[in-house]
Each structure stands twice: as C-alpha cells, then as structure tokens.
Amino acid sequence: MRVKTKLLPNSSFGWFCFGIFVSATALKIGSNSPGIYAFLFFILFLILTFVFLSPPKFTKPFERKVFFAILASFLFLVFADTNQTSIPKQAKPFFRSFLMEELKQSPLSLFERRIVLGLVTGSTKEIPKDFKELAKESGILHLFAASGLHLGIFIGALQWFGNFIFTKHRWISILISLGFGFFYLYVLNFPVSFVRAYLFAFLTLVSSLFYRKIAVSDLLFISSAGISFFLFSDFLSIGFLLSFNAVFGIFYLKPSLDRMVFPRFQSLWKDNLTLTTACSLCSFPILIYYFHSFSYGGIWINYCLVPMAGILLPSLYFTILIQTLLPTVLSGIFIDWLWTPSSFLLSLFLKLFHTITFWERGYKVWKEANICYLFVSLFLIFLLWFLHRMDWNQKKYTNMFVVGMICLFFPSTYWIQDSSSHQNLFQQGKGYFSFVISDGFYLFGTCSPYKRMEFPNPITAIKRIEFESESCLQTVLRLKKKHKGVEVIWFDRNQSPFGTVLDKDGLQIQRTKHLGGVITPFLSLFRFDGNPKQITSLLGNLKETERAHSQSLWQGYLVLDFPPWKKKEAKEWINYQKLLGISNAWKILIVEDHFEIPLLHHLTNPKLL
C-alpha cells in the first residue's frame, strides 16, 4: 500500500508549474553555457513531437499533464526575465526607521533593541557580530534571518485573533491575515524564504475557503515556479535551497519519523523532536556543500529555542502594533507596562540561549565539502521518504534499523577526525596571518579595523593564544571570552600603555622576545615587516632560538611580510642570507611568493622541504 506522499505534482496546474521548474533549473545550471536557450528549445520540441506522433502509450490524463508541462516550459523560456542580478534583501528604509523609533521609546537596552530589530526584520546585519557568530555556531541563525518561520508565526497569530473575532465569517480573517502578510513581505523586500512561505500560506488558506485540500507536491512546485518566474535571481540560491529542503523534511520525512519514533506516544515534545531532526537532516547536505560546516549542537538547541521563538515573536509583533496605535499622551504612562511581557520573554530567551549554547555547540568546519557525508545524508533522506511512501515504516525491526542509522549518523560524522576538518592555517592576507597548531592559536601581524577576523574551529580546544599587535586586542579578547580558561601571551615590543592594565586581567606580557620562538619543540616561526629598528632584535632572537633548539628535526621559518614599496628588499634577504648572519637552519619565505600559503604544507608536512 502506498500513502499520498508523491514527489510529482497531483493536479494539472501542478504539472504546469513543474514544467516551469524544470526549464528554470536547466537554465540556471547551464547559465554559463553558450546556446543554452536554443538547446532547451530543441529538446522540448523533440519531446513534444514524440508525445504527439508516437502511438498512445499512456493514459489521456497523464498525456494532458505532460502537455501542460511542455507548454509551461516554452512559456517560461519566452516570457521569463532571466537576466536579473541577485542583490541582498534589506528591509525597506522607512520600515527600519519606523522600528528603530518605536524601539527607542521602549525600556529595552541597546543590545535588546538590536536583537528585536534583527528578529522582526529578519536581518542578521542588525544583531551584534559576536552574537551573530554565536548564533551561527549554534545553528539558530535562521531565527535572525528572513525565514518562513517568521511569516508563519506572523500569519498564524493573525489567524488566531481573526478567527476569535470573526467567528462566523472566517473568510474575513483569511483576507486580513493574507493582506498583512503581503505587507510584511513587501517591507522586508521579498526575501526568497518569505516568498515561499507566503505562497504556501496563500494557496493553503485560499483552497480552504473552497473546502479543498492542496497536495504538498503541488505546493512545492507552484511556489518554486512562482519564484523562478518572477524572482529568477533567487531561484536555486542558498536561501531557496535551505528553505525548500527544510519544508521538504517537514512534509515528507516528519510523518515517517512520527511513525518510527515512539509510534504510540503523541505529544508536542515528540512533534518538536521529529520536526527538528527532519529539518536538520535535510539542511545537512546544503550546509556541508556550500559552507563546509554544520552545527551538530544546533539540533538540540533548535529543539529548545524554536518553540520559545514561537512565543516571543507574536508578543513582539503585537507589542509594537499596540505601541503604534497608542496615543502619544498615553504612551509615556503605559509604555513600560506594555513592554513588560515582551521584555520578560526576550530576557528569558536570551538567558536560555546563552546558557545552552555555552554547554556544547558542536560546530564543525571542514576544509572542503565532504562528499561522503553528503551522499550518506541524501541516502538517509531518500530512505525515510521511500519507507513512508511504501508504508513500510510500521515494521518494528525496520524502524529500529533506520532510526539507529540516523542516531549514529550525526555523532559519527562529528567525532570522526577527518584530516580536512583541521584547518592549521585558516586565514592569511597582506600584513597578517594566523594558524592553529595543536591547542595553540598564533596571530602574526596587524589586524585590520575594516575586516573582521573569523575564529578558528580546531578539533581540540584552544588553550593558548599568542599575538604581537595591539590592533588585535579586540579579536583576542573575543576569542578569550569564547574559549574559557585559555592562556594569553602578548609579545608587546612597543611598550603599550594598556599593558599594565591587561597584565592585571591575566594577560601575560612578553617584551623581550618575538612571537613564534617556541611554537612546538620542533618548529619556530618569525614574521618580520621590514622595520629597520627591529633588525638587531630580530637577528638576536634568531640566533638565540637556534641555539636553544639543537634537535635534528627542528625547523625554523622566517616569513618576510614587507610593505609593497620594500618588495625588492625582501628578496634581497634570501640572496644575502649568510651576509645578514642568518644560518641555513632558517627557511626564509616571502608572503608574495607564498600567498596561497604553501606554508600550510611546511607546517603540517615538514618533510616536504
């Protein structure tokens, strides 16, 4: 017996949209290929000729659906605007200014205002950078991005109040919620996940007015066809794929998990567990392919925080609405009372967020996309759908086997130490570079005030941080806050006035030596920026370090990172290495020659030299 979870469309209009989806996908994938339009027209013409001239092999309803799909493909190629350029979706300036003015009147702190602004506008640019990074590693960044969750909660809250007021005229409640939902979509400038969610809500609510139920496959193809026709630049984007994959997991995998995991036990806790697992499994291949990372702790963090967000967001929406409608005379009197429930829920949400995210985020980064994990996750997704489709997920041993595979998949992919997941040298540029070896983080050079440095994600926890420039203090303090109990050493050769203050806070100050003298017992690495005042100190440190390391396996490196106007002088250091008093025990590297950082290979594979 098969259940109604078909992947193909159910209605004729669904097949019409399926044709648009197929043409848009082919055009998007082959956008860089010359003659793609002519090729697609030729293929469609051949298919159409084959369908009409060949003897009837299918039923008339199926042939009619195929005809609709081919017709839609032709119409898409002719009329769709496929030359759109993708631009970041920002909230309308007037809407953002309106929210900022309303939040200034609230009793919230500046930090809480930025969080509320990020939640309501669905923009991660509104929230503080440290908080954003923590949310990314916790797997809940979608709560602060324009996602279908926001629109679903917004329309759902309006529906609840509308049904309560218009008990005998439900259609009025539907029209009001869809109207305000479209306005919300407009002021956020049509982000792709919002568009998908609004189309879902529109199709579902309108069909309910006519006492019809639309198939989930039709929902997926109609909404994707609408996005591809009117917003082709966002079609098959990362946001599009994440949004549709999450919905695919809800529609196709969650019912299967519901019948496998405690089939006789029904509760909101179980529904939330299967929902979170299905969405996490479906988003795994997208995240690992495009971002080479995944937050394993995000599974249980979402399990805890998403229901809380479902309570917090309606509270914020209605608080801002009532504050807007409140007369100016009364706003000063009742504003604190008005914000009390939302302020309490927001503080509870932030407290819960900070508490559970500092336990274990399980954030892992790979150097490149792990194709093996990607195919295994796709296999599990297909297996769950297939078992539900064939109604085979009622057998006890089959359920135990599949659920066991899913339960083992996430821990095994996290704990298996893949060499590509350990980024020794993770960031470099003109004027600075940094790397992680074992449990130590080394930051050489000057940090740019215009470019935020990303944090490393090594397999082992960072226990020691060493840096040399005062400009990197902010980055180091952020990293120290993230990794508690780390030892921080500042090689301050310029006698900074902040040294004595930071020394009292637990930062060790080293004023006589250069950074990199003892990275490991077998490795020393110095960076020199060409400052003539530091040459004597540098040569002394090189000789002292060489005397302290007499092991045959020890290797020393001197990285020359001179300003552009001293590039020739840097090469002269290699030519006149012995005249400068630098022995052959030191390997001299120039940033310009090693900008793709073969230094990574030198550090991880010393025998290559």
Side-chain angles (χ1 to χ4, degrees):
M1 178 182 177
R2 295 187 178 186
V3 294
K4 295 181 179 181
T5 55
K6 296 191 302 182
L7 293 178
L8 291 176
N10 189 57
S11 63
S12 298
F13 185 67
W15 276 90
F16 183 87
C17 294
F18 175 74
I20 295 177
F21 171 79
V22 172
S23 291
T25 303
L27 197 61
K28 196 77 172 182
I29 295 174
S31 58
N32 295 326
S33 302
I36 184 65
Y37 275 96
F39 176 77
L40 291 178
F41 267 108
F42 178 71
I43 294 297
L44 289 173
F45 180 76
L46 289 181
I47 295 175
L48 189 63
T49 303
F50 174 78
V51 170
F52 279 101
L53 298 183
S54 63
K57 295 182 180 180
F58 307 101
T59 60
K60 288 186 178 180
F62 182 77
E63 290 184 352
R64 184 173 63 252
K65 292 176 181 178
V66 172
F67 172 75
F68 280 135
I70 297 174
L71 177 63
S73 300
F74 275 116
L75 292 176
F76 175 81
L77 294 177
V78 173
F79 295 105
D81 181 13
T82 58
N83 295 320
Q84 300 175 358
T85 56
S86 181
I87 56 175
K89 302 296 184 181
Q90 301 285 339
K92 298 289 184 180
F94 76 89
F95 180 67
R96 185 179 182 276
S97 301
F98 161 76
L99 286 177
M100 292 181 67
E101 290 298 324
E102 294 297 327
L103 291 175
K104 285 180 181 178
Q105 303 177 29
S106 69
L108 301 178
S109 64
L110 180 61
F111 174 76
E112 290 175 331
R113 292 176 198 170
R114 295 185 64 181
I115 297 299
V116 171
L117 193 62
L119 283 170
V120 176
T121 61
S123 175
T124 57
K125 293 185 177 181
E126 303 293 349
I127 61 178
K129 293 182 179 179
D130 291 341
F131 189 89
K132 176 182 176 181
E133 185 172 1
L134 193 60
K136 180 187 72 173
E137 295 185 3
S138 304
I140 63 165
L141 198 60
H142 63 94
L143 296 179
F144 303 93
S147 66
L149 176 68
H150 294 72
L151 192 63
I153 292 174
F154 182 77
I155 291 182
L158 289 175
Q159 273 288 99
W160 186 83
F161 275 95
N163 292 337
F164 180 76
I165 297 173
F166 304 102
T167 54
K168 296 183 179 180
H169 302 283
R170 184 168 165 267
W171 62 273
I172 299 178
S173 172
I174 292 177
L175 291 180
I176 290 175
S177 60
L178 289 178
F180 277 100
F182 184 81
F183 177 75
Y184 194 19
L185 182 68
Y186 167 75
V187 296
L188 295 190
N189 204 14
F190 300 95
V192 63
S193 184
F194 260 49
V195 174
R196 190 271 309 159
Y198 184 80
L199 289 174
F200 273 32
F202 180 85
L203 294 170
T204 303
L205 293 176
V206 171
S207 62
S208 68
L209 287 177
F210 299 96
Y211 302 98
R212 296 290 187 271
K213 188 175 181 180
I214 187 169
V216 295
S217 57
D218 287 345
L219 275 176
L220 289 170
F221 282 112
I222 292 173
S223 56
S224 61
I227 293 172
S228 64
F229 197 91
F230 296 102
L231 297 171
F232 185 74
S233 59
D234 293 326
F235 182 66
L236 295 187
S237 63
I238 296 177
F240 176 94
L241 294 175
L242 285 174
S243 179
F244 275 84
N245 273 34
V247 173
F248 178 88
I250 296 172
F251 285 159
Y252 289 95
L253 302 192
K254 185 183 181 301
S256 186
L257 289 173
D258 286 336
R259 301 179 70 176
M260 290 182 175
V261 180
F262 307 116
R264 298 181 181 179
F265 179 70
Q266 299 295 330
S267 70
L268 292 175
W269 301 106
K270 176 194 167 182
D271 287 341
N272 191 22
L273 175 64
T274 55
L275 176 68
T276 305
T277 305
C279 292
S280 299
L281 183 60
C282 287
S283 62
F284 184 87
I286 304 299
L287 294 174
I288 197 175
Y289 182 79
Y290 285 102
F291 299 104
H292 309 162
S293 63
F294 187 76
S295 175
Y296 291 87
I299 300 175
W300 75 279
I301 295 174
N302 275 281
Y303 179 81
C304 298
L305 291 183
V306 169
M308 185 68 188
I311 302 173
L312 173 61
L313 279 170
S315 175
L316 293 174
Y317 291 144
F318 283 104
T319 300
I320 295 173
L321 176 62
I322 295 173
Q323 179 180 321
T324 305
L325 300 176
L326 200 65
T328 308
V329 180
L330 300 177
S331 61
I333 303 174
F334 295 102
I335 196 71
D336 291 341
W337 292 92
L338 179 64
W339 275 94
T340 298
S342 297
S343 178
F344 172 75
L345 290 173
L346 179 62
S347 62
L348 186 63
F349 175 83
L350 294 175
K351 181 66 176 178
L352 183 62
F353 170 77
H354 281 288
T355 301
I356 63 179
T357 51
F358 275 104
W359 284 349
E360 182 55 55
R361 295 187 292 275
Y363 185 68
K364 189 171 183 180
V365 180
W366 291 267
K367 185 179 178 181
E368 55 188 11
N370 196 311
I371 303 300
C372 177
Y373 294 168
L374 189 147
F375 279 108
V376 172
S377 62
L378 292 175
F379 170 75
L380 290 175
I381 293 171
F382 173 79
L383 181 63
L384 278 175
W385 167 79
F386 184 76
L387 290 177
H388 186 58
R389 172 65 176 159
M390 302 305 295
D391 203 20
W392 289 352
N393 52 2
Q394 295 182 351
K395 299 179 181 180
K396 180 179 178 180
Y397 294 105
T398 303
N399 292 355
M400 292 176 60
F401 176 73
V402 176
V403 172
M405 288 181 63
I406 296 174
C407 292
L408 289 175
F409 170 72
F410 289 109
S412 61
T413 54
Y414 176 73
W415 290 111
I416 292 177
Q417 293 189 359
D418 185 11
S419 60
S420 64
S421 65
H422 185 51
Q423 294 179 295
N424 289 294
L425 184 65
F426 74 97
Q427 196 162 215
Q428 66 279 333
K430 186 64 178 172
Y432 75 98
F433 61 87
S434 57
F435 57 84
V436 176
I437 290 184
S438 184
D439 59 355
F441 172 59
Y442 302 88
L443 179 53
F444 292 80
T446 304
C447 296
S448 171
Y450 307 106
K451 184 177 180 181
R452 185 179 180 84
M453 182 173 289
E454 297 293 334
F455 286 160
N457 292 281
I459 296 175
T460 58
I462 294 177
K463 297 181 180 179
R464 187 177 69 262
I465 302 173
E466 297 185 11
F467 70 107
E468 61 180 348
S469 174
E470 184 179 327
S471 63
C472 300
L473 268 174
Q474 184 180 6
T475 300
V476 170
L477 293 176
R478 285 168 48 221
L479 191 58
K480 183 176 182 294
K481 183 179 179 180
K482 178 181 178 181
H483 297 271
K484 296 182 178 180
V486 298
E487 178 187 10
V488 181
I489 303 175
W490 181 11
F491 289 80
D492 181 20
R493 293 171 293 165
N494 297 322
Q495 305 291 324
S496 171
F498 298 105
T500 54
V501 179
L502 296 173
D503 193 12
K504 295 179 181 180
D505 292 337
L507 272 74
Q508 302 179 31
I509 309 297
Q510 176 59 256
R511 303 188 187 278
T512 58
K513 297 182 179 180
H514 282 70
L515 170 63
V518 184
I519 294 179
T520 70
F522 306 99
L523 173 66
S524 298
L525 186 146
F526 290 101
R527 174 187 172 274
F528 183 55
D529 59 2
N531 186 353
K533 297 180 180 180
Q534 300 292 336
I535 292 180
T536 303
S537 175
L538 172 67
L539 295 177
N541 275 277
L542 292 176
K543 293 179 180 179
E544 182 181 350
T545 303
E546 185 179 350
R547 285 195 300 267
H549 296 84
S550 57
Q551 301 97 328
S552 59
L553 297 178
W554 174 81
Q555 179 65 62
Y557 296 95
L558 175 59
V559 180
L560 302 180
D561 191 6
F562 289 5
W565 55 88
K566 291 187 177 182
K567 187 180 298 184
K568 292 183 179 180
E569 184 180 343
K571 293 185 178 180
E572 291 175 356
W573 277 63
I574 298 177
N575 298 330
Y576 303 107
Q577 180 174 348
K578 291 185 178 180
L579 293 177
L580 291 169
I582 304 174
S583 69
N584 292 330
W586 292 92
K587 175 72 174 180
I588 299 181
L589 304 174
I590 300 177
V591 168
E592 285 79 7
D593 296 338
H594 298 267
F595 200 75
E596 296 300 327
I597 306 295
L599 179 60
L600 173 62
H601 304 293
H602 300 331
L603 296 178
T604 56
N605 302 287
K607 294 182 180 179
L608 290 178
L609 295 176

